[in-house]
Amino acid sequence: MAGRNEDLTDALAVLGNEIWMSILRELADADGVLSFTELRERVDIRDSGKFNDHLKKLCEYFVREADGGYELGHAGTRIIAVGYEDSEIATDERCLCGEDECGKLFHVHLTPWST
């Protein structure tokens, strides 16, 4: 059970980090997949090593690698939609739990992406 609690704590810590939330917002605002460089420039972090560390942490729960770059994962989409009024970001997706328009932010969403 300790592993599950650590995963939840790690995932929730993302929400309290300004840089991590900036990354999620930039991915939400993008018209498609963003390359590492495009995303780093949008977030305005010069140190690519530090940015890579931030992005790796987000890829555990909220971001996924896609063709040539990064995009919001399902959990990231649902989390970032909370900050957007009149958002359609998360409303047209079927939740991982199987429910249409599931209102829950946390339940099955915290499973790390497998690559």
Side-chain angles (χ1 to χ4, degrees):
M1 187 68 133
R4 203 177 259 173
N5 287 337
E6 289 170 12
D7 287 345
L8 179 58
T9 300
D10 288 346
L12 293 174
V14 170
L15 302 176
N17 185 299
E18 186 176 324
I19 292 171
W20 295 342
M21 289 304 295
S22 293
I23 293 169
L24 294 179
R25 280 191 294 273
E26 289 300 332
L27 289 171
D29 290 342
D31 290 330
V33 173
L34 293 177
S35 72
F36 177 89
T37 302
E38 289 171 319
L39 185 54
R40 183 178 55 81
E41 289 173 353
R42 285 181 179 214
V43 178
D44 196 27
I45 296 179
R46 296 178 198 263
D47 186 327
S48 62
K50 283 185 180 181
F51 184 74
N52 187 53
D53 291 342
H54 291 301
L55 195 53
K56 281 174 35 178
K57 188 66 174 176
L58 287 173
C59 283
E60 292 179 27
Y61 302 101
F62 301 109
V63 174
R64 65 177 166 222
E65 289 186 60
D67 295 330
Y70 297 89
E71 63 186 5
L72 283 179
H74 184 79
T77 300
R78 295 182 67 77
I79 293 300
I80 203 64
V82 171
Y84 285 78
E85 288 188 29
D86 301 323
S87 173
E88 294 182 15
I89 292 173
T91 58
D92 60 350
E93 286 189 36
R94 184 174 195 120
C95 179
L96 293 175
C97 70
E99 297 293 321
D100 289 327
E101 298 184 34
C102 172
K104 295 179 182 175
L105 295 178
F106 299 104
H107 54 131
V108 298
H109 307 298
L110 296 179
T111 303
W113 292 104
S114 57
T115 54

